[in-house]
Amino acid sequence: MPPRRTRGATVSLLTAALLVVGGAVAASGSDDGGTPFSTAVGATAIESSSPVPHAVGIRHFNFSRGKDRPLPSTVWYPVRGSARQTRGRTQLDATALPGEFPLLIWSHGFYSNPQMQEGMTKFLAESGYVVVAPAYPFTKKNGPKFDKTDVPNQAVDASYVITQLLQPSNPLAPSIDPDRLGAIGHSGGGTTTDWLFTGHRDPRLKVGVIFAGRPTTAYKGSPVPMLFIHGDKDPVVAYSQGRESYGKDPWPKAFLTIEGGEHGAGTNDPERGHTQVLATLLDFLNWALNGDDAARMRLTGDATLAGFTHFESTGIYPSTTNSTIATTTTPTPTPTQSNVRDLAGGSAG
């Protein structure tokens, strides 16, 4: 039997960038007409026990929290082999890689769905995470009825999906470490994620990542690290709303600002600062869920690229608790847009 805490490998960002996985490049959120974005400062330090990204399996589940709340969910997870060998293609119902991996629940934005976010969810699975993404009944794309006020209920849905995935009868349950659970979301899904740490707190979650989300109620429960990512030119969810959430969070936290970034910044859109987002996201998750202190120490360097991104944190570094971490300035690398993975899809709201 494999060891309980087989670490989901964090792949080299440059290795991942050079992997061609296909998928359409979304225009949503692009603010500069295709200005190349650059390789993250320090990204080459993000290494893995695996030389290349994992191959990825995909499964579909028809969960439901009552007849009026169907929750069809897609799961991406590491399988044997490398993404290079499979050319980035997912393998339907493939046997999971032995070991237990962290589980992330991904919440989509308004008028979106899990497939539109596959660039990001597959990237996380390649990096050693199991990622489950439900399609929420009243905010998904092409749903029978749209209701933006349903977002608080989506947090309850998210917890339900986690519970179902962890059931012993679920074929992927043996691949999940129930002590390493996290939540990520974009836009309306970011607000859904915020609810999971406030009014609908799920105490099982050990980390939260919010892309362009809105504030909800007071944070409660045991402290967990939170990462906020927001473009400062977001026309849909104001940058000030992301800052408000960050200000209210009393726990260890970090904020990555994408300078000039719009609403899709940091998710699937290959725009300014995108590689810095990927590097920061993996550093943060590997520190919070895998206990990788080296990843924590890389955060500021990997997050920072002068003119593209800036990073701040509170409580992440013990010697600077309750203070802002100064960002570092290094020479801007040569843009390498042609070498960066195309990430598919995008969402609004």
Side-chain angles (χ1 to χ4, degrees):
M1 181 175 181
R4 173 174 172 74
R5 286 183 174 267
T6 299
R7 296 300 185 191
T10 302
V11 301
S12 162
L13 259 291
L14 294 183
T15 300
L18 292 168
L19 177 66
V20 178
V21 297
V25 176
S28 172
S30 180
D31 67 306
D32 57 11
T35 300
F37 55 98
S38 302
T39 300
V41 175
T44 52
I46 302 181
E47 297 177 349
S48 167
S49 58
S50 174
V52 292
H54 294 293
V56 175
I58 187 169
R59 284 181 180 261
H60 302 283
F61 296 94
N62 290 316
F63 299 134
S64 179
R65 193 166 68 87
K67 64 179 182 179
D68 62 337
R69 298 201 71 85
L71 295 166
S73 299
T74 304
V75 184
W76 294 262
Y77 54 96
V79 300
R80 292 187 185 276
S82 72
R84 181 174 295 136
Q85 291 170 335
T86 61
R87 297 185 180 181
R89 298 187 183 94
T90 56
Q91 302 174 51
L92 183 63
D93 297 335
T95 301
L97 189 68
E100 290 184 322
F101 299 88
L103 172 67
L104 303 171
I105 184 156
W106 178 278
S107 292
H108 65 74
F110 293 169
Y111 302 107
S112 186
N113 59 45
Q115 286 65 44
M116 292 173 69
Q117 297 293 302
E118 187 172 32
M120 182 64 78
T121 55
K122 187 165 64 173
F123 173 80
L124 291 166
E126 288 172 353
S127 303
Y129 291 86
V130 176
V131 186
V132 58
Y136 295 116
F138 299 112
T139 63
K140 66 183 179 182
K141 184 179 181 180
N142 298 326
K145 178 183 177 182
F146 178 79
D147 182 5
K148 67 180 181 180
T149 68
D150 193 55
V151 169
N153 293 323
Q154 293 182 172
V156 182
D157 292 338
S159 291
Y160 174 83
V161 167
I162 292 172
T163 297
Q164 295 308 302
L165 210 59
L166 293 175
Q167 293 295 319
S169 58
N170 189 286
L172 290 179
S175 301
I176 299 168
D177 183 346
D179 295 326
R180 291 188 289 161
L181 309 181
I184 307 180
H186 172 250
S187 191
T191 308
T192 299
T193 300
D194 201 67
W195 276 107
L196 285 164
F197 297 93
T198 60
H200 292 299
R201 177 63 191 269
D202 189 326
R204 298 172 297 182
L205 297 172
K206 300 299 191 298
V207 66
V209 181
I210 296 174
F211 286 86
R214 294 178 172 88
T216 56
T217 60
Y219 293 95
K220 63 182 182 181
S222 300
V224 300
M226 299 283 289
L227 173 62
F228 300 82
I229 302 172
H230 216 122
D232 63 8
K233 301 299 182 184
D234 190 334
V236 179
V237 178
Y239 178 67
S240 61
Q241 292 185 293
R243 299 297 305 181
E244 181 181 346
S245 295
Y246 181 72
K248 289 180 176 180
D249 181 1
W251 305 328
K253 59 188 177 180
F255 198 105
L256 179 63
T257 297
I258 304 170
E259 299 174 17
E262 297 191 9
H263 192 55
T267 55
N268 281 331
D269 298 348
E271 61 174 88
R272 297 172 59 88
H274 186 69
T275 305
Q276 285 69 45
V277 170
L278 296 182
T280 304
L281 177 62
L282 289 180
D283 284 345
F284 201 85
L285 292 173
N286 278 282
W287 165 59
L289 292 177
N290 297 338
D292 185 347
D293 199 55
R296 176 177 68 93
M297 298 307 296
R298 286 193 303 263
L299 272 167
T300 300
D302 283 343
T304 304
L305 183 60
F308 286 76
T309 56
H310 62 267
F311 179 80
E312 61 195 270
S313 68
T314 298
I316 301 295
Y317 301 94
S319 62
T320 53
T321 301
N322 298 322
S323 65
T324 299
I325 302 298
T327 57
T328 57
T329 301
T330 59
T332 302
T334 301
T336 56
Q337 184 176 18
S338 62
N339 290 335
V340 182
R341 302 169 57 198
D342 289 344
L343 297 176
S347 65

